[in-house]
């Protein structure tokens, strides 16, 4: 198989984006980026004026734009990688964060996968994680600038020997030589450029989020068909995908990181469990799974403790599993709050000790908080239309103590639960 990585990016004169990117990769451009690493965006106008005295205006604009993107990327990639990599605006927004990509790569590597065709690779976040797991990667994207960014990132991180980059329509790529396929369809309309897929059906070019799986680029149906042809495959999808859109051939996994649900993945092939739902909580690396929908959990009165399941557990419909594990019950059949009379510790829940249970009343809550001298109030809600900021404003908080209030329903009735986090 011929490798297509280029050591020096080409920059046609009729493509200003690629020309600007090529300029960034010159010695002058790289030095300018290094000098801008810690610049304050608030001082950008003054910085641009100063730099244009000694550098071409186009290069300064490109460098300042790339510096902003690198600063944004630190949250996903960490400072060490982000300040060596290159990004596009859509690439920063859509890229998988390193912790999630590493988890996925580890699952592949653990099954003996040695080569992966990464279709719709974007700026290369997943390709980098796969390569670092010792897997050889074909990274495919149809946008020429994006493909050059991936090549630059592979070189910057010393992974060019493991990452082959191909600028092509993913629907025309032969994936049969590879142990596995990974597909990450574009779920947003591209901003002023081609979508990352290859079908041309990626939605309006507005940058807005796409909710219809068949409007992904390429569509979910094509991505599923491509996955089913491979010995093993993973298909990245939006975490809010309707469960009925998930075929019986897939193991569905929802992944959260730091308490926020980041994505869902459909796994296919040997080593996975078709029809199973799975929740993975990072950074703990804890995984909860069930082979089929669980029976409805019991519902009962509020006990001394309240548990808020991680979002990945809720998305995977595994709350009933946690209810059984902690020997508890739901506060309401429609609300994902678990209560019990005994303390329970788990990476899948945040626990609270409840001190008060009151019918919903702004007046009573305000009086209680004033009596307790609560100056810091955390507001959580499920099944309530009240906005947390509006509630805090109306409470007129003052005092040295902190509390948490849950606005929810208990046995169908609007209720306030007041307490504090377990240690």
């Amino acid at each position: 198989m011929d490798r297509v990585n280029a050591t020096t990016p080409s920059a046609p004169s009729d493509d200003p984006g690629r020309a600007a990117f090529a300029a960034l990769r010159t010695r002058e451009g790289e030095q300018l980026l290094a000098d801008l690493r810690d610049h304050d965006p608030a001082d950008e106008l003054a910085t641009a004026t100063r730099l244009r005295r000694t550098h071409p205006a186009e290069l300064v604009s490109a460098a300042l734009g790339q510096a902003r993107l690198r600063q944004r990327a630190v949250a996903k990639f960490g400072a060490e990688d982000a300040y060596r990599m290159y990004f596009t605006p859509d690439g920063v927004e859509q890229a998988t964060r390193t912790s999630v990509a590493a988890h996925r790569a580890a699952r592949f590597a653990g099954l003996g996968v040695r080569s992966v065709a990464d279709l719709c690779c974007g700026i290369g976040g997943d390709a980098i994680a796969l390569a670092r797991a010792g897997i050889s990667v074909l990274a495919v994207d149809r946008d020429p600038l994006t493909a050059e960014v991936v090549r630059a990132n592979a070189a910057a991180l010393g992974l060019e020997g493991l990452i082959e980059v191909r600028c092509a329509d993913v629907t025309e790529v032969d994936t049969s030589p590879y142990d596995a396929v990974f597909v990450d369809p574009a779920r947003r309309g591209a901003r002023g450029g081609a979508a990352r897929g290859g079908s041309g059906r990626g939605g309006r070019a507005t940058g807005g989020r796409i909710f219809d799986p068949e409007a992904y680029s390429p569509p979910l149906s094509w991505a599923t068909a491509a996955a089913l042809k491979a010995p093993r495959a993973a298909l990245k999808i939006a975490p809010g995908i309707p469960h009925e859109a998930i075929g019986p051939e897939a193991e569905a996994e929802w992944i959260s990181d730091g308490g926020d649900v980041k994505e869902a993945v459909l796994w296919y092939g040997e080593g996975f469990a078709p029809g199973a739902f799975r929740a993975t909580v990072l950074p703990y690396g804890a995984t909860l799974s069930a082979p089929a929908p669980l029976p409805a959990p019991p519902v009962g009165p509020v006990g001394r403790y309240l548990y808020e399941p991680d979002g990945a557990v809720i998305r995977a419909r595994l709350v009933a599993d946690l209810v059984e594990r902690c020997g508890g019950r739901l506060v309401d059949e429609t609300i994902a709050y678990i209560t019990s009379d005994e303390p329970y510790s788990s990476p899948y829940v945040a626990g609270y000790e409840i001190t008060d249970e009151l019918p919903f009343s702004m007046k009573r809550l305000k009086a209680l908080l004033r009596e307790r001298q609560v100056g810091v109030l955390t507001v959580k809600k499920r099944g309530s239309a009240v906005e947390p900021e509006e509630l805090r404003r109306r409470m007129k908080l003052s005092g040295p103590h902190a509390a948490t209030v849950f606005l929810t329903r208990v046995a169908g009735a609007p209720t306030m639960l007041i307490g504090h986090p377990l240690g």
Side-chain angles (χ1 to χ4, degrees):
M1 190 172 357
D2 293 334
R3 301 190 70 81
V4 296
N5 287 6
T7 55
T8 303
S10 58
S13 57
D14 60 348
D15 189 337
R18 292 174 68 192
F21 181 65
L24 288 177
R25 297 194 64 203
T26 63
R27 181 173 298 180
E28 181 182 10
E30 290 178 350
Q31 183 58 55
L32 196 52
L33 281 174
D35 293 342
L36 287 170
R37 172 175 172 139
D38 298 318
H39 95 286
D40 185 350
D43 298 331
E44 192 163 295
L45 180 59
T47 301
T49 301
R50 173 176 57 81
L51 292 176
R52 284 171 181 160
R53 298 185 189 123
T54 53
H55 301 281
E58 295 81 2
L59 177 59
V60 171
S61 295
L64 285 168
Q66 190 62 222
R68 288 194 301 271
L69 294 176
R70 285 181 167 183
Q71 289 179 347
R72 286 173 54 194
V74 168
K76 285 188 174 182
F77 291 90
E80 184 176 353
D81 282 351
Y83 285 112
R84 291 189 288 167
M85 293 171 65
Y86 297 88
F87 302 94
T88 64
D90 284 337
V92 169
E93 188 169 340
Q94 298 180 16
T96 304
R97 65 173 51 216
T98 295
S99 55
V100 178
H103 162 73
R104 185 163 39 237
R107 287 202 78 184
F108 270 138
L111 291 171
V113 170
R114 306 306 302 163
S115 62
V116 172
D118 179 0
L119 308 181
C120 314
C121 66
I123 54 90
D126 281 281
I128 290 165
L130 290 163
R132 284 176 167 167
I135 296 172
S136 178
V137 185
L138 169 67
V140 184
D141 199 289
R142 76 172 184 178
D143 177 55
L145 173 59
T146 301
E148 289 185 7
V149 169
V150 183
R151 292 188 184 103
N153 287 338
L157 300 177
L159 299 170
E160 62 266 53
L162 285 169
I163 300 176
E164 173 190 352
V165 182
R166 187 178 302 173
C167 185
D169 185 322
V170 298
T171 65
E172 299 174 358
V173 174
D174 178 15
T175 62
S176 60
Y178 299 89
D179 295 342
V181 167
F182 173 62
V183 191
D184 181 6
R187 291 175 300 283
R188 293 178 183 270
R191 283 187 286 234
R196 288 188 296 150
S199 68
R201 289 178 283 179
R204 300 183 303 275
T206 62
R209 190 180 299 276
I210 295 171
F211 295 98
D212 178 7
E214 284 306 297
Y216 291 176
S217 180
L220 180 62
S221 57
W222 180 91
T224 300
L228 290 171
K229 293 177 184 176
R232 294 184 178 92
L235 170 56
K236 178 179 172 181
I237 55 174
I241 187 170
H243 283 211
E244 56 269 22
I246 300 171
E249 311 91 347
E251 174 191 302
E253 178 182 24
W254 282 262
I255 304 170
S256 70
D257 190 10
D260 295 325
V261 182
K262 296 302 180 183
E263 65 180 61
V265 188
L266 303 183
W267 297 94
Y268 300 86
E270 186 178 353
F272 305 112
F277 284 1
R278 179 184 183 103
T280 295
V281 178
L282 303 176
Y284 305 103
T287 294
L288 193 66
S289 64
L294 300 169
V299 179
V302 177
R304 182 175 177 182
Y305 301 98
L306 188 77
Y307 303 103
E308 182 180 25
D310 184 89
V313 174
I314 296 173
R315 295 277 190 177
R317 297 182 180 173
L318 295 174
V319 173
D321 191 309
L322 291 182
V323 172
E324 183 176 344
R325 287 169 181 250
C326 75
R329 55 206 175 264
L330 297 182
V331 301
D332 185 278
E333 63 180 359
T334 64
I335 302 294
Y337 282 141
I338 303 170
T339 187
S340 74
D341 305 308
E342 301 294 333
Y344 173 71
S345 178
S346 164
Y348 305 115
V349 298
Y352 299 84
E353 184 172 10
I354 299 302
T355 57
D356 300 88
E357 177 184 354
L358 303 170
F360 179 80
S361 165
M362 289 280 198
K363 183 177 180 180
R364 291 186 65 179
L365 179 61
K366 185 175 182 180
L368 184 146
L369 296 176
R370 182 183 297 118
E371 177 187 336
R372 304 272 174 88
Q373 295 183 304
V374 172
V376 177
L377 183 67
T378 299
V379 182
K380 292 179 172 287
K381 68 168 193 169
R382 283 190 181 144
S384 172
V386 177
E387 291 300 325
E389 288 304 321
E390 172 65 12
L391 183 141
R392 269 190 289 263
R393 184 186 67 79
R394 293 178 62 178
M395 292 300 102
K396 298 181 179 179
L397 301 167
S398 177
H401 301 136
T404 300
V405 60
F406 294 86
L407 306 177
T408 188
R409 293 193 302 272
V410 173
T415 303
M416 303 181 299
L417 304 176
I418 297 91
H420 55 83
L422 293 175

